[in-house]
Amino acid sequence: EGSDQHRGWFQSSLWLGSFTHGNAPYQQLVTHGYIVKEDGTKISKSDGTKSKPQTSDSYIKQFGADVVRLWICSQDFRGDIPVSEKLIKNVGNTYRTLRNTFRFLHGNLYDFDPEVHGVLVEGLTDLDRWALHQLGELIEQVEAYYDAYEFHRAYQLIANFVSITLSATYHDILKDRLYTWAPNAPERRSSQTALDRIFKSLTALLSPMLPFTTDEAWSYFTSESEFGPQPLSSEDWPEMCDFYRHPEASQRIGSLLKFKAEHVNEVLESLRQEKKIGQSLDARVDINISEGHALSSLLQSTDNEQLTELLNVSGVSVTIQPLTDKSVEISAAPAVDSGWIRCPRSWRWVPELVNAGTWGDVSPRCAEALKAKYA
């Protein structure tokens, strides 16, 4: 009874405030449509259906509060909002991708202290500059959509960034760097610097949609405990700055990744279909490109090790033909056909292995990494 009286007093105070101060008891007002069935018809207890009506409480028990929040944010609330177990389950798949991304980022920063190991902007590799540039654009766009209450657009941007930019591209390329290079290798620390920025920005951007999950991720990130002393809500909102502005590197790496998607991946997939290779690391790629092609100078100027890393193969050769046409020819073959040997540590194929003492025979790069780590 007391709480009802208090609620009534509070509502009356807001209503009276609109008259006494000459303005409404709120700054902005957003309206939304009805919750309807998946087919667009209204939800009714008297429509003759035998299945029990679903409620937000039952969905929360089944999927969790943050998944329900994410589903709401994925919808354009200005129209009617369809709901069903299938629709929420689909959003649940996106939620798992987001959560797994936090785990990947957190797990690969276990030995990184930004104050000690952080790399200055001029020391970042082009790949990391590319990722940070994509992050900067994401921050600006998501903030604009939040300000316009277009949560569904923010949701779509973040979901695409996580699944395509990070998981399918950046993280996939980085695994070799993070797992097999020497702990203090400049390239590895450069990537960890970028991952640190990505984690901090991504948790903040998702905090309005996933308050429980992002706060949990932040707590483990800052204190390795479920409830950290510094909640995420007390942190500053990420802002676009020069650290995220790398248009030249973004264009350069973006062009190479587009070349990979349009030309190289198809050739590698053919080898996979023929069961000649299992993964792209099992292959060597030869690129024959005419001098008149738009990417000939870019391919020629790109360091071979960087190109091998971007294409995620064990070896690359680039031949520039002195022709004015725009032709490009890609061929690939299993690295084993060239007499190369697979490194048991990095899984990359190399011309020869070297002895690393108690670690056995590994690639020359892995031998140096083991020496640096355990010396």
Side-chain angles (χ1 to χ4, degrees):
E1 183 180 355
S3 60
D4 290 340
Q5 290 177 349
H6 182 271
R7 190 181 302 112
W9 173 85
F10 180 70
Q11 292 172 344
S12 299
S13 297
L14 288 176
W15 187 250
L16 288 172
S18 64
F19 289 100
T20 57
H21 294 88
N23 63 311
Y26 47 81
Q27 291 182 333
Q28 291 178 307
L29 181 66
V30 176
T31 59
H32 59 81
Y34 289 102
I35 301 293
V36 297
K37 295 179 183 178
E38 188 175 357
D39 61 4
T41 58
K42 71 174 185 176
I43 296 176
S44 173
K45 294 181 180 179
S46 58
D47 61 0
T49 57
K50 295 182 180 180
S51 59
K52 66 176 183 179
Q54 292 287 355
T55 63
S56 60
D57 182 60
S58 63
Y59 282 135
I60 289 173
K61 289 179 180 178
Q62 184 176 358
F63 298 103
D66 267 5
V67 174
V68 175
R69 286 192 183 97
L70 194 62
W71 161 70
I72 284 291
C73 292
S74 72
Q75 303 297 308
D76 186 352
F77 62 83
R78 293 167 296 191
D80 289 344
I81 304 171
V83 62
S84 70
E85 183 175 325
K86 175 185 174 183
L87 293 174
I88 298 182
K89 188 177 292 186
N90 289 339
V91 173
N93 293 332
T94 302
Y95 172 81
R96 279 189 290 275
T97 300
L98 297 173
R99 191 176 181 89
N100 288 337
T101 299
F102 286 141
R103 292 182 63 183
F104 179 88
L105 293 167
H106 181 213
N108 282 289
L109 292 169
Y110 73 96
D111 65 341
F112 178 79
D113 181 348
E115 298 297 326
V116 178
H117 308 115
V119 176
L120 298 177
V121 63
E122 56 268 19
L124 296 169
T125 67
D126 276 354
L127 177 62
D128 301 317
R129 291 170 187 259
W130 170 82
L132 288 170
H133 190 84
Q134 311 310 307
L135 175 66
E137 291 184 339
L138 179 74
I139 291 172
E140 287 188 320
Q141 293 172 325
V142 168
E143 186 171 2
Y145 284 140
Y146 276 158
D147 289 342
Y149 296 105
E150 294 186 319
F151 306 114
H152 62 293
R153 296 188 185 278
Y155 162 84
Q156 292 166 357
L157 273 180
I158 295 174
N160 287 337
F161 177 80
V162 167
S163 63
I164 299 174
T165 304
L166 293 185
S167 182
T169 307
Y170 185 54
H171 290 174
D172 190 50
I173 295 172
L174 281 193
K175 288 175 182 176
D176 182 60
R177 229 187 242 194
L178 295 170
Y179 300 159
T180 69
W181 288 43
N184 287 315
E187 295 85 354
R188 183 171 182 270
R189 292 305 189 193
S190 170
S191 294
Q192 286 183 309
T193 301
L195 293 179
D196 180 71
R197 294 287 186 123
I198 292 171
F199 180 90
K200 292 173 179 175
S201 298
L202 202 56
T203 49
L205 293 177
L206 279 167
S207 60
M209 300 185 191
L210 301 173
F212 291 167
T213 303
T214 53
D215 202 56
E216 179 188 29
W218 183 258
S219 294
Y220 278 103
F221 179 72
T222 55
S223 64
E224 291 297 337
S225 63
E226 187 174 356
F227 301 103
Q230 194 76 5
L232 177 61
S233 56
S234 66
E235 297 297 313
D236 293 334
W237 184 257
E239 294 183 0
M240 183 63 172
C241 62
D242 289 342
F243 201 84
Y244 302 126
R245 290 188 178 94
H246 306 287
E248 292 182 3
S250 179
Q251 166 127 23
R252 176 185 174 85
I253 297 299
S255 297
L256 291 173
L257 291 175
K258 184 178 180 182
F259 176 82
K260 172 186 177 181
E262 293 180 350
H263 298 283
V264 180
N265 286 350
E266 183 178 354
V267 177
L268 294 176
E269 184 58 31
S270 296
L271 286 180
R272 264 192 291 268
Q273 293 294 329
E274 296 170 8
K275 300 189 183 301
K276 292 183 178 180
I277 63 171
Q279 56 181 338
S280 58
L281 282 178
D282 295 334
R284 295 182 65 241
V285 173
D286 296 314
I287 301 173
N288 281 281
I289 188 168
S290 299
E291 201 169 26
H293 195 282
L295 291 181
S296 61
S297 59
L298 176 59
L299 288 169
Q300 193 172 22
S301 63
T302 302
D303 180 77
N304 187 266
E305 186 172 356
Q306 182 187 37
L307 191 57
T308 300
E309 181 184 47
L310 286 174
L311 299 184
N312 209 15
V313 294
S314 286
V316 179
S317 67
V318 178
T319 303
I320 307 295
Q321 301 290 349
L323 302 172
T324 57
D325 62 18
K326 299 179 181 180
S327 63
V328 58
E329 182 181 338
I330 309 293
S331 61
V336 67
D337 290 356
S338 301
W340 285 21
I341 307 170
R342 187 183 190 183
C343 172
R345 183 173 181 268
S346 68
W347 290 11
R348 287 188 176 273
W349 294 76
V350 292
E352 62 178 358
L353 301 179
V354 297
N355 186 267
T358 58
W359 304 102
D361 293 340
V362 295
S363 68
R365 193 186 71 190
C366 283
E368 290 296 321
L370 289 167
K371 181 180 178 181
K373 184 174 182 179
Y374 297 104

